[in-house]
Amino acid sequence: MGHIHNPDREYQLLQKRLDHCIEGAPDSPVFIKILKMLFSSAEADLARQIPLRPSLLGKLAKKLGLPQDELSDKISQLAARGLVFDVEHKGQRYVALAPVVNRCLRAITLPGLRCMLPIM
């Protein structure tokens, strides 16, 4: 039997992760479409591994098996788009996955994405 490929796998796993946030995340095709507008497949895979509570960037890099500089660059790109929070405190950088409400509102307000939103 051949391997079944699911192109939405990373987005579905991210949705499940986001559903653990206090505001939840709907398990719906529309929400998956919104996640696809906000994240590349690789970014969705990374985002689902970012803690919901602030964690040290160095510890996260070690857990993910990535060089800290490489992870820092990826986090900076996601943070610039409001998809993760990052903050520096006493010389240490902390990162957390942004709440889903922030993500959805950002999708609606980003220039060029509004016209791409799926009809609900």
Side-chain angles (χ1 to χ4, degrees):
M1 182 181 274
H3 178 71
I4 298 173
H5 176 70
N6 179 358
D8 292 343
R9 180 179 186 275
E10 288 81 11
Y11 300 103
Q12 290 166 341
L13 292 172
L14 178 56
Q15 176 274 321
K16 287 179 185 353
R17 172 72 170 187
L18 292 170
D19 200 33
H20 291 293
C21 293
I22 196 162
E23 64 275 340
D27 182 9
S28 76
V30 171
F31 190 73
I32 296 298
K33 287 180 184 180
I34 292 170
L35 291 178
K36 285 181 173 184
M37 286 188 279
L38 296 173
F39 295 92
S40 70
S41 180
E43 289 172 337
D45 184 49
L46 173 62
R48 73 178 177 84
Q49 298 177 73
I50 297 173
L52 300 173
R53 294 184 176 192
S55 298
L56 283 169
L57 180 70
K59 285 186 179 182
L60 181 60
K62 189 173 183 176
K63 177 183 170 189
L64 298 177
L66 293 172
Q68 188 168 336
D69 291 343
E70 180 182 331
L71 180 59
S72 179
D73 290 344
K74 291 178 181 188
I75 294 296
S76 293
Q77 292 171 11
L78 293 171
R81 297 188 340 248
L83 302 173
V84 299
F85 293 128
D86 70 331
V87 64
E88 196 165 311
H89 179 68
K90 295 183 180 181
Q92 297 285 335
R93 189 171 178 197
Y94 293 82
V95 62
L97 193 56
V100 69
V101 172
N102 180 39
R103 247 178 237 99
C104 290
L105 292 175
R106 186 106 169 121
I108 292 167
T109 60
L110 281 174
L113 285 184
R114 187 178 191 87
C115 63
M116 295 170 45
L117 282 176
I119 303 297
M120 294 188 192

PDB file of all heavy atoms in Angstrom, residues 4-40:
ATOM      1  N   ILE A   4       0.143   7.690   1.946  1.00  0.00           N
ATOM      2  CA  ILE A   4      -0.848   8.716   1.703  1.00  0.00           C
ATOM      3  C   ILE A   4      -0.275  10.050   2.173  1.00  0.00           C
ATOM      4  O   ILE A   4       0.114  10.203   3.335  1.00  0.00           O
ATOM      5  CB  ILE A   4      -2.164   8.415   2.452  1.00  0.00           C
ATOM      6  CG1 ILE A   4      -2.749   7.107   1.940  1.00  0.00           C
ATOM      7  CG2 ILE A   4      -3.153   9.555   2.281  1.00  0.00           C
ATOM      8  CD1 ILE A   4      -3.945   6.623   2.722  1.00  0.00           C
ATOM      9  N   HIS A   5      -0.208  11.009   1.254  1.00  0.00           N
ATOM     10  CA  HIS A   5       0.346  12.325   1.567  1.00  0.00           C
ATOM     11  C   HIS A   5      -0.793  13.298   1.878  1.00  0.00           C
ATOM     12  O   HIS A   5      -1.746  13.407   1.123  1.00  0.00           O
ATOM     13  CB  HIS A   5       1.173  12.845   0.388  1.00  0.00           C
ATOM     14  CG  HIS A   5       1.696  14.227   0.611  1.00  0.00           C
ATOM     15  ND1 HIS A   5       2.683  14.498   1.528  1.00  0.00           N
ATOM     16  CD2 HIS A   5       1.355  15.408   0.055  1.00  0.00           C
ATOM     17  CE1 HIS A   5       2.920  15.801   1.524  1.00  0.00           C
ATOM     18  NE2 HIS A   5       2.130  16.371   0.623  1.00  0.00           N
ATOM     19  N   ASN A   6      -0.686  13.992   2.999  1.00  0.00           N
ATOM     20  CA  ASN A   6      -1.675  14.986   3.388  1.00  0.00           C
ATOM     21  C   ASN A   6      -0.997  16.356   3.358  1.00  0.00           C
ATOM     22  O   ASN A   6      -0.235  16.696   4.272  1.00  0.00           O
ATOM     23  CB  ASN A   6      -2.214  14.685   4.784  1.00  0.00           C
ATOM     24  CG  ASN A   6      -3.227  15.699   5.246  1.00  0.00           C
ATOM     25  OD1 ASN A   6      -3.529  16.662   4.557  1.00  0.00           O
ATOM     26  ND2 ASN A   6      -3.750  15.496   6.444  1.00  0.00           N
ATOM     27  N   PRO A   7      -1.255  17.174   2.327  1.00  0.00           N
ATOM     28  CA  PRO A   7      -0.586  18.476   2.218  1.00  0.00           C
ATOM     29  C   PRO A   7      -0.984  19.457   3.324  1.00  0.00           C
ATOM     30  O   PRO A   7      -0.296  20.446   3.547  1.00  0.00           O
ATOM     31  CB  PRO A   7      -1.019  18.991   0.848  1.00  0.00           C
ATOM     32  CG  PRO A   7      -2.279  18.269   0.545  1.00  0.00           C
ATOM     33  CD  PRO A   7      -2.181  16.934   1.230  1.00  0.00           C
ATOM     34  N   ASP A   8      -2.068  19.182   4.024  1.00  0.00           N
ATOM     35  CA  ASP A   8      -2.537  20.067   5.101  1.00  0.00           C
ATOM     36  C   ASP A   8      -2.066  19.613   6.479  1.00  0.00           C
ATOM     37  O   ASP A   8      -2.437  20.218   7.489  1.00  0.00           O
ATOM     38  CB  ASP A   8      -4.067  20.146   5.097  1.00  0.00           C
ATOM     39  CG  ASP A   8      -4.609  20.859   3.872  1.00  0.00           C
ATOM     40  OD1 ASP A   8      -3.842  21.572   3.197  1.00  0.00           O
ATOM     41  OD2 ASP A   8      -5.802  20.700   3.594  1.00  0.00           O
ATOM     42  N   ARG A   9      -1.250  18.575   6.552  1.00  0.00           N
ATOM     43  CA  ARG A   9      -0.868  17.975   7.832  1.00  0.00           C
ATOM     44  C   ARG A   9      -0.303  18.998   8.812  1.00  0.00           C
ATOM     45  O   ARG A   9      -0.743  19.070   9.967  1.00  0.00           O
ATOM     46  CB  ARG A   9       0.138  16.849   7.618  1.00  0.00           C
ATOM     47  CG  ARG A   9       0.568  16.180   8.918  1.00  0.00           C
ATOM     48  CD  ARG A   9       1.563  15.038   8.664  1.00  0.00           C
ATOM     49  NE  ARG A   9       1.858  14.336   9.873  1.00  0.00           N
ATOM     50  CZ  ARG A   9       2.792  14.713  10.753  1.00  0.00           C
ATOM     51  NH1 ARG A   9       3.503  15.793  10.540  1.00  0.00           N
ATOM     52  NH2 ARG A   9       3.007  14.017  11.851  1.00  0.00           N
ATOM     53  N   GLU A  10       0.681  19.811   8.385  1.00  0.00           N
ATOM     54  CA  GLU A  10       1.303  20.779   9.290  1.00  0.00           C
ATOM     55  C   GLU A  10       0.283  21.783   9.805  1.00  0.00           C
ATOM     56  O   GLU A  10       0.307  22.177  10.972  1.00  0.00           O
ATOM     57  CB  GLU A  10       2.454  21.522   8.592  1.00  0.00           C
ATOM     58  CG  GLU A  10       3.697  20.675   8.368  1.00  0.00           C
ATOM     59  CD  GLU A  10       3.590  19.769   7.152  1.00  0.00           C
ATOM     60  OE1 GLU A  10       2.644  19.945   6.352  1.00  0.00           O
ATOM     61  OE2 GLU A  10       4.449  18.879   7.004  1.00  0.00           O
ATOM     62  N   TYR A  11      -0.643  22.187   8.932  1.00  0.00           N
ATOM     63  CA  TYR A  11      -1.663  23.156   9.326  1.00  0.00           C
ATOM     64  C   TYR A  11      -2.683  22.531  10.286  1.00  0.00           C
ATOM     65  O   TYR A  11      -3.132  23.183  11.224  1.00  0.00           O
ATOM     66  CB  TYR A  11      -2.367  23.716   8.088  1.00  0.00           C
ATOM     67  CG  TYR A  11      -1.389  24.411   7.167  1.00  0.00           C
ATOM     68  CD1 TYR A  11      -0.939  23.787   6.012  1.00  0.00           C
ATOM     69  CD2 TYR A  11      -0.893  25.675   7.474  1.00  0.00           C
ATOM     70  CE1 TYR A  11      -0.021  24.419   5.182  1.00  0.00           C
ATOM     71  CE2 TYR A  11       0.019  26.307   6.650  1.00  0.00           C
ATOM     72  CZ  TYR A  11       0.455  25.671   5.503  1.00  0.00           C
ATOM     73  OH  TYR A  11       1.359  26.293   4.691  1.00  0.00           O
ATOM     74  N   GLN A  12      -3.017  21.278  10.072  1.00  0.00           N
ATOM     75  CA  GLN A  12      -3.948  20.591  10.971  1.00  0.00           C
ATOM     76  C   GLN A  12      -3.311  20.401  12.353  1.00  0.00           C
ATOM     77  O   GLN A  12      -3.976  20.574  13.381  1.00  0.00           O
ATOM     78  CB  GLN A  12      -4.379  19.249  10.372  1.00  0.00           C
ATOM     79  CG  GLN A  12      -5.269  19.428   9.161  1.00  0.00           C
ATOM     80  CD  GLN A  12      -5.443  18.146   8.356  1.00  0.00           C
ATOM     81  OE1 GLN A  12      -4.657  17.204   8.465  1.00  0.00           O
ATOM     82  NE2 GLN A  12      -6.479  18.121   7.527  1.00  0.00           N
ATOM     83  N   LEU A  13      -2.019  20.063  12.370  1.00  0.00           N
ATOM     84  CA  LEU A  13      -1.324  19.921  13.652  1.00  0.00           C
ATOM     85  C   LEU A  13      -1.219  21.263  14.370  1.00  0.00           C
ATOM     86  O   LEU A  13      -1.368  21.337  15.592  1.00  0.00           O
ATOM     87  CB  LEU A  13       0.058  19.314  13.436  1.00  0.00           C
ATOM     88  CG  LEU A  13       0.066  17.850  12.976  1.00  0.00           C
ATOM     89  CD1 LEU A  13       1.479  17.420  12.598  1.00  0.00           C
ATOM     90  CD2 LEU A  13      -0.509  16.935  14.039  1.00  0.00           C
ATOM     91  N   LEU A  14      -0.977  22.346  13.615  1.00  0.00           N
ATOM     92  CA  LEU A  14      -0.942  23.674  14.214  1.00  0.00           C
ATOM     93  C   LEU A  14      -2.317  24.052  14.756  1.00  0.00           C
ATOM     94  O   LEU A  14      -2.425  24.597  15.859  1.00  0.00           O
ATOM     95  CB  LEU A  14      -0.461  24.705  13.197  1.00  0.00           C
ATOM     96  CG  LEU A  14      -0.407  26.158  13.675  1.00  0.00           C
ATOM     97  CD1 LEU A  14       0.465  26.314  14.922  1.00  0.00           C
ATOM     98  CD2 LEU A  14       0.093  27.059  12.551  1.00  0.00           C
ATOM     99  N   GLN A  15      -3.365  23.750  14.023  1.00  0.00           N
ATOM    100  CA  GLN A  15      -4.730  24.038  14.497  1.00  0.00           C
ATOM    101  C   GLN A  15      -4.991  23.325  15.817  1.00  0.00           C
ATOM    102  O   GLN A  15      -5.525  23.900  16.749  1.00  0.00           O
ATOM    103  CB  GLN A  15      -5.757  23.625  13.438  1.00  0.00           C
ATOM    104  CG  GLN A  15      -7.211  23.794  13.867  1.00  0.00           C
ATOM    105  CD  GLN A  15      -7.769  22.589  14.626  1.00  0.00           C
ATOM    106  OE1 GLN A  15      -7.480  21.437  14.305  1.00  0.00           O
ATOM    107  NE2 GLN A  15      -8.562  22.863  15.639  1.00  0.00           N
ATOM    108  N   LYS A  16      -4.592  22.066  15.906  1.00  0.00           N
ATOM    109  CA  LYS A  16      -4.793  21.308  17.148  1.00  0.00           C
ATOM    110  C   LYS A  16      -4.008  21.946  18.300  1.00  0.00           C
ATOM    111  O   LYS A  16      -4.497  22.034  19.423  1.00  0.00           O
ATOM    112  CB  LYS A  16      -4.394  19.851  16.952  1.00  0.00           C
ATOM    113  CG  LYS A  16      -5.374  19.066  16.102  1.00  0.00           C
ATOM    114  CD  LYS A  16      -4.923  17.635  15.928  1.00  0.00           C
ATOM    115  CE  LYS A  16      -5.745  16.793  15.016  1.00  0.00           C
ATOM    116  NZ  LYS A  16      -6.960  17.274  14.475  1.00  0.00           N
ATOM    117  N   ARG A  17      -2.814  22.404  18.003  1.00  0.00           N
ATOM    118  CA  ARG A  17      -1.992  23.064  19.021  1.00  0.00           C
ATOM    119  C   ARG A  17      -2.668  24.362  19.487  1.00  0.00           C
ATOM    120  O   ARG A  17      -2.753  24.653  20.672  1.00  0.00           O
ATOM    121  CB  ARG A  17      -0.608  23.352  18.439  1.00  0.00           C
ATOM    122  CG  ARG A  17       0.286  24.185  19.282  1.00  0.00           C
ATOM    123  CD  ARG A  17       0.768  23.420  20.451  1.00  0.00           C
ATOM    124  NE  ARG A  17       1.813  24.194  21.110  1.00  0.00           N
ATOM    125  CZ  ARG A  17       2.520  23.739  22.075  1.00  0.00           C
ATOM    126  NH1 ARG A  17       2.325  22.524  22.499  1.00  0.00           N
ATOM    127  NH2 ARG A  17       3.417  24.476  22.641  1.00  0.00           N
ATOM    128  N   LEU A  18      -3.148  25.149  18.517  1.00  0.00           N
ATOM    129  CA  LEU A  18      -3.804  26.412  18.839  1.00  0.00           C
ATOM    130  C   LEU A  18      -5.110  26.196  19.590  1.00  0.00           C
ATOM    131  O   LEU A  18      -5.543  27.065  20.345  1.00  0.00           O
ATOM    132  CB  LEU A  18      -4.053  27.217  17.562  1.00  0.00           C
ATOM    133  CG  LEU A  18      -2.803  27.730  16.867  1.00  0.00           C
ATOM    134  CD1 LEU A  18      -3.153  28.292  15.501  1.00  0.00           C
ATOM    135  CD2 LEU A  18      -2.103  28.758  17.726  1.00  0.00           C
ATOM    136  N   ASP A  19      -5.718  25.064  19.398  1.00  0.00           N
ATOM    137  CA  ASP A  19      -6.970  24.773  20.085  1.00  0.00           C
ATOM    138  C   ASP A  19      -6.759  24.621  21.591  1.00  0.00           C
ATOM    139  O   ASP A  19      -7.705  24.679  22.360  1.00  0.00           O
ATOM    140  CB  ASP A  19      -7.628  23.524  19.501  1.00  0.00           C
ATOM    141  CG  ASP A  19      -9.104  23.448  19.822  1.00  0.00           C
ATOM    142  OD1 ASP A  19      -9.754  24.515  19.916  1.00  0.00           O
ATOM    143  OD2 ASP A  19      -9.626  22.332  19.990  1.00  0.00           O
ATOM    144  N   HIS A  20      -5.500  24.457  22.007  1.00  0.00           N
ATOM    145  CA  HIS A  20      -5.186  24.384  23.438  1.00  0.00           C
ATOM    146  C   HIS A  20      -5.121  25.767  24.076  1.00  0.00           C
ATOM    147  O   HIS A  20      -5.068  25.877  25.296  1.00  0.00           O
ATOM    148  CB  HIS A  20      -3.867  23.639  23.674  1.00  0.00           C
ATOM    149  CG  HIS A  20      -3.956  22.178  23.354  1.00  0.00           C
ATOM    150  ND1 HIS A  20      -4.721  21.298  24.066  1.00  0.00           N
ATOM    151  CD2 HIS A  20      -3.378  21.459  22.369  1.00  0.00           C
ATOM    152  CE1 HIS A  20      -4.616  20.088  23.541  1.00  0.00           C
ATOM    153  NE2 HIS A  20      -3.805  20.168  22.516  1.00  0.00           N
ATOM    154  N   CYS A  21      -5.093  26.830  23.252  1.00  0.00           N
ATOM    155  CA  CYS A  21      -5.129  28.196  23.784  1.00  0.00           C
ATOM    156  C   CYS A  21      -6.491  28.439  24.403  1.00  0.00           C
ATOM    157  O   CYS A  21      -7.478  27.795  24.037  1.00  0.00           O
ATOM    158  CB  CYS A  21      -4.894  29.223  22.676  1.00  0.00           C
ATOM    159  SG  CYS A  21      -3.246  29.188  21.983  1.00  0.00           S
ATOM    160  N   ILE A  22      -6.567  29.391  25.280  1.00  0.00           N
ATOM    161  CA  ILE A  22      -7.807  29.652  25.997  1.00  0.00           C
ATOM    162  C   ILE A  22      -8.957  29.999  25.061  1.00  0.00           C
ATOM    163  O   ILE A  22     -10.103  29.639  25.299  1.00  0.00           O
ATOM    164  CB  ILE A  22      -7.608  30.735  27.075  1.00  0.00           C
ATOM    165  CG1 ILE A  22      -8.756  30.712  28.057  1.00  0.00           C
ATOM    166  CG2 ILE A  22      -7.412  32.099  26.453  1.00  0.00           C
ATOM    167  CD1 ILE A  22      -8.480  31.399  29.360  1.00  0.00           C
ATOM    168  N   GLU A  23      -8.674  30.696  23.946  1.00  0.00           N
ATOM    169  CA  GLU A  23      -9.748  31.064  23.031  1.00  0.00           C
ATOM    170  C   GLU A  23     -10.054  29.968  22.010  1.00  0.00           C
ATOM    171  O   GLU A  23     -11.010  30.064  21.260  1.00  0.00           O
ATOM    172  CB  GLU A  23      -9.441  32.385  22.320  1.00  0.00           C
ATOM    173  CG  GLU A  23      -8.243  32.365  21.424  1.00  0.00           C
ATOM    174  CD  GLU A  23      -6.941  32.617  22.165  1.00  0.00           C
ATOM    175  OE1 GLU A  23      -6.921  33.161  23.266  1.00  0.00           O
ATOM    176  OE2 GLU A  23      -5.910  32.230  21.609  1.00  0.00           O
ATOM    177  N   GLY A  24      -9.227  28.932  21.975  1.00  0.00           N
ATOM    178  CA  GLY A  24      -9.474  27.814  21.074  1.00  0.00           C
ATOM    179  C   GLY A  24      -9.193  28.158  19.626  1.00  0.00           C
ATOM    180  O   GLY A  24      -8.844  29.275  19.285  1.00  0.00           O
ATOM    181  N   ALA A  25      -9.336  27.171  18.777  1.00  0.00           N
ATOM    182  CA  ALA A  25      -9.144  27.335  17.332  1.00  0.00           C
ATOM    183  C   ALA A  25     -10.066  26.338  16.646  1.00  0.00           C
ATOM    184  O   ALA A  25     -10.009  25.145  16.925  1.00  0.00           O
ATOM    185  CB  ALA A  25      -7.699  27.066  16.948  1.00  0.00           C
ATOM    186  N   PRO A  26     -10.916  26.819  15.763  1.00  0.00           N
ATOM    187  CA  PRO A  26     -11.891  25.923  15.147  1.00  0.00           C
ATOM    188  C   PRO A  26     -11.254  24.879  14.227  1.00  0.00           C
ATOM    189  O   PRO A  26     -10.300  25.166  13.519  1.00  0.00           O
ATOM    190  CB  PRO A  26     -12.785  26.871  14.338  1.00  0.00           C
ATOM    191  CG  PRO A  26     -11.931  28.063  14.081  1.00  0.00           C
ATOM    192  CD  PRO A  26     -11.013  28.186  15.260  1.00  0.00           C
ATOM    193  N   ASP A  27     -11.787  23.695  14.282  1.00  0.00           N
ATOM    194  CA  ASP A  27     -11.366  22.627  13.378  1.00  0.00           C
ATOM    195  C   ASP A  27     -12.259  22.739  12.143  1.00  0.00           C
ATOM    196  O   ASP A  27     -13.312  22.107  12.067  1.00  0.00           O
ATOM    197  CB  ASP A  27     -11.533  21.268  14.060  1.00  0.00           C
ATOM    198  CG  ASP A  27     -11.058  20.121  13.177  1.00  0.00           C
ATOM    199  OD1 ASP A  27     -10.445  20.386  12.128  1.00  0.00           O
ATOM    200  OD2 ASP A  27     -11.304  18.963  13.547  1.00  0.00           O
ATOM    201  N   SER A  28     -11.842  23.604  11.214  1.00  0.00           N
ATOM    202  CA  SER A  28     -12.665  23.843  10.032  1.00  0.00           C
ATOM    203  C   SER A  28     -11.779  24.111   8.828  1.00  0.00           C
ATOM    204  O   SER A  28     -10.649  24.600   8.969  1.00  0.00           O
ATOM    205  CB  SER A  28     -13.603  25.031  10.254  1.00  0.00           C
ATOM    206  OG  SER A  28     -12.882  26.236  10.159  1.00  0.00           O
ATOM    207  N   PRO A  29     -12.279  23.817   7.633  1.00  0.00           N
ATOM    208  CA  PRO A  29     -11.523  24.098   6.410  1.00  0.00           C
ATOM    209  C   PRO A  29     -11.214  25.584   6.250  1.00  0.00           C
ATOM    210  O   PRO A  29     -10.155  25.950   5.736  1.00  0.00           O
ATOM    211  CB  PRO A  29     -12.440  23.611   5.287  1.00  0.00           C
ATOM    212  CG  PRO A  29     -13.370  22.653   5.935  1.00  0.00           C
ATOM    213  CD  PRO A  29     -13.518  23.102   7.353  1.00  0.00           C
ATOM    214  N   VAL A  30     -12.103  26.439   6.701  1.00  0.00           N
ATOM    215  CA  VAL A  30     -11.883  27.886   6.588  1.00  0.00           C
ATOM    216  C   VAL A  30     -10.691  28.300   7.443  1.00  0.00           C
ATOM    217  O   VAL A  30      -9.844  29.078   7.011  1.00  0.00           O
ATOM    218  CB  VAL A  30     -13.153  28.669   6.977  1.00  0.00           C
ATOM    219  CG1 VAL A  30     -12.869  30.158   7.075  1.00  0.00           C
ATOM    220  CG2 VAL A  30     -14.263  28.405   5.979  1.00  0.00           C
ATOM    221  N   PHE A  31     -10.619  27.777   8.668  1.00  0.00           N
ATOM    222  CA  PHE A  31      -9.508  28.130   9.543  1.00  0.00           C
ATOM    223  C   PHE A  31      -8.192  27.623   8.966  1.00  0.00           C
ATOM    224  O   PHE A  31      -7.170  28.315   9.033  1.00  0.00           O
ATOM    225  CB  PHE A  31      -9.731  27.592  10.960  1.00  0.00           C
ATOM    226  CG  PHE A  31      -8.732  28.122  11.940  1.00  0.00           C
ATOM    227  CD1 PHE A  31      -8.788  29.438  12.368  1.00  0.00           C
ATOM    228  CD2 PHE A  31      -7.726  27.314  12.430  1.00  0.00           C
ATOM    229  CE1 PHE A  31      -7.852  29.939  13.260  1.00  0.00           C
ATOM    230  CE2 PHE A  31      -6.798  27.802  13.329  1.00  0.00           C
ATOM    231  CZ  PHE A  31      -6.854  29.113  13.744  1.00  0.00           C
ATOM    232  N   ILE A  32      -8.184  26.442   8.384  1.00  0.00           N
ATOM    233  CA  ILE A  32      -6.975  25.903   7.743  1.00  0.00           C
ATOM    234  C   ILE A  32      -6.550  26.834   6.607  1.00  0.00           C
ATOM    235  O   ILE A  32      -5.355  27.117   6.433  1.00  0.00           O
ATOM    236  CB  ILE A  32      -7.201  24.466   7.236  1.00  0.00           C
ATOM    237  CG1 ILE A  32      -7.479  23.510   8.417  1.00  0.00           C
ATOM    238  CG2 ILE A  32      -6.014  23.979   6.409  1.00  0.00           C
ATOM    239  CD1 ILE A  32      -6.364  23.360   9.422  1.00  0.00           C
ATOM    240  N   LYS A  33      -7.500  27.362   5.842  1.00  0.00           N
ATOM    241  CA  LYS A  33      -7.169  28.306   4.764  1.00  0.00           C
ATOM    242  C   LYS A  33      -6.525  29.571   5.320  1.00  0.00           C
ATOM    243  O   LYS A  33      -5.581  30.109   4.735  1.00  0.00           O
ATOM    244  CB  LYS A  33      -8.418  28.659   3.955  1.00  0.00           C
ATOM    245  CG  LYS A  33      -8.889  27.536   3.061  1.00  0.00           C
ATOM    246  CD  LYS A  33     -10.128  27.938   2.291  1.00  0.00           C
ATOM    247  CE  LYS A  33     -10.639  26.780   1.467  1.00  0.00           C
ATOM    248  NZ  LYS A  33     -11.851  27.136   0.704  1.00  0.00           N
ATOM    249  N   ILE A  34      -7.025  30.038   6.449  1.00  0.00           N
ATOM    250  CA  ILE A  34      -6.437  31.227   7.079  1.00  0.00           C
ATOM    251  C   ILE A  34      -5.008  30.928   7.526  1.00  0.00           C
ATOM    252  O   ILE A  34      -4.096  31.730   7.300  1.00  0.00           O
ATOM    253  CB  ILE A  34      -7.302  31.718   8.255  1.00  0.00           C
ATOM    254  CG1 ILE A  34      -8.626  32.266   7.735  1.00  0.00           C
ATOM    255  CG2 ILE A  34      -6.566  32.771   9.079  1.00  0.00           C
ATOM    256  CD1 ILE A  34      -9.656  32.565   8.808  1.00  0.00           C
ATOM    257  N   LEU A  35      -4.787  29.763   8.136  1.00  0.00           N
ATOM    258  CA  LEU A  35      -3.435  29.387   8.551  1.00  0.00           C
ATOM    259  C   LEU A  35      -2.501  29.317   7.350  1.00  0.00           C
ATOM    260  O   LEU A  35      -1.334  29.729   7.433  1.00  0.00           O
ATOM    261  CB  LEU A  35      -3.447  28.048   9.298  1.00  0.00           C
ATOM    262  CG  LEU A  35      -4.099  28.054  10.681  1.00  0.00           C
ATOM    263  CD1 LEU A  35      -4.091  26.654  11.269  1.00  0.00           C
ATOM    264  CD2 LEU A  35      -3.419  29.044  11.606  1.00  0.00           C
ATOM    265  N   LYS A  36      -3.000  28.828   6.228  1.00  0.00           N
ATOM    266  CA  LYS A  36      -2.177  28.746   5.012  1.00  0.00           C
ATOM    267  C   LYS A  36      -1.791  30.125   4.493  1.00  0.00           C
ATOM    268  O   LYS A  36      -0.736  30.289   3.888  1.00  0.00           O
ATOM    269  CB  LYS A  36      -2.913  27.973   3.920  1.00  0.00           C
ATOM    270  CG  LYS A  36      -2.933  26.486   4.142  1.00  0.00           C
ATOM    271  CD  LYS A  36      -3.657  25.807   2.992  1.00  0.00           C
ATOM    272  CE  LYS A  36      -3.555  24.316   3.088  1.00  0.00           C
ATOM    273  NZ  LYS A  36      -4.176  23.647   1.934  1.00  0.00           N
ATOM    274  N   MET A  37      -2.647  31.121   4.720  1.00  0.00           N
ATOM    275  CA  MET A  37      -2.319  32.482   4.318  1.00  0.00           C
ATOM    276  C   MET A  37      -1.241  33.079   5.222  1.00  0.00           C
ATOM    277  O   MET A  37      -0.455  33.907   4.786  1.00  0.00           O
ATOM    278  CB  MET A  37      -3.569  33.371   4.355  1.00  0.00           C
ATOM    279  CG  MET A  37      -4.525  33.101   3.226  1.00  0.00           C
ATOM    280  SD  MET A  37      -5.840  34.320   3.176  1.00  0.00           S
ATOM    281  CE  MET A  37      -6.942  33.682   4.421  1.00  0.00           C
ATOM    282  N   LEU A  38      -1.230  32.653   6.473  1.00  0.00           N
ATOM    283  CA  LEU A  38      -0.323  33.241   7.449  1.00  0.00           C
ATOM    284  C   LEU A  38       1.022  32.533   7.539  1.00  0.00           C
ATOM    285  O   LEU A  38       2.037  33.164   7.838  1.00  0.00           O
ATOM    286  CB  LEU A  38      -0.989  33.240   8.829  1.00  0.00           C
ATOM    287  CG  LEU A  38      -2.240  34.098   8.949  1.00  0.00           C
ATOM    288  CD1 LEU A  38      -2.908  33.874  10.298  1.00  0.00           C
ATOM    289  CD2 LEU A  38      -1.899  35.557   8.751  1.00  0.00           C
ATOM    290  N   PHE A  39       1.044  31.232   7.327  1.00  0.00           N
ATOM    291  CA  PHE A  39       2.250  30.421   7.523  1.00  0.00           C
ATOM    292  C   PHE A  39       2.582  29.631   6.266  1.00  0.00           C
ATOM    293  O   PHE A  39       1.680  29.091   5.621  1.00  0.00           O
ATOM    294  CB  PHE A  39       2.027  29.378   8.636  1.00  0.00           C
ATOM    295  CG  PHE A  39       1.800  29.928  10.006  1.00  0.00           C
ATOM    296  CD1 PHE A  39       0.517  30.189  10.467  1.00  0.00           C
ATOM    297  CD2 PHE A  39       2.860  30.154  10.868  1.00  0.00           C
ATOM    298  CE1 PHE A  39       0.292  30.665  11.738  1.00  0.00           C
ATOM    299  CE2 PHE A  39       2.647  30.630  12.154  1.00  0.00           C
ATOM    300  CZ  PHE A  39       1.365  30.892  12.589  1.00  0.00           C
ATOM    301  N   SER A  40       3.874  29.510   5.980  1.00  0.00           N
ATOM    302  CA  SER A  40       4.298  28.509   5.004  1.00  0.00           C
ATOM    303  C   SER A  40       4.189  27.161   5.713  1.00  0.00           C
ATOM    304  O   SER A  40       4.023  27.093   6.934  1.00  0.00           O
ATOM    305  CB  SER A  40       5.748  28.759   4.571  1.00  0.00           C
ATOM    306  OG  SER A  40       6.637  28.469   5.643  1.00  0.00           O
TER     307      SER A  40
END
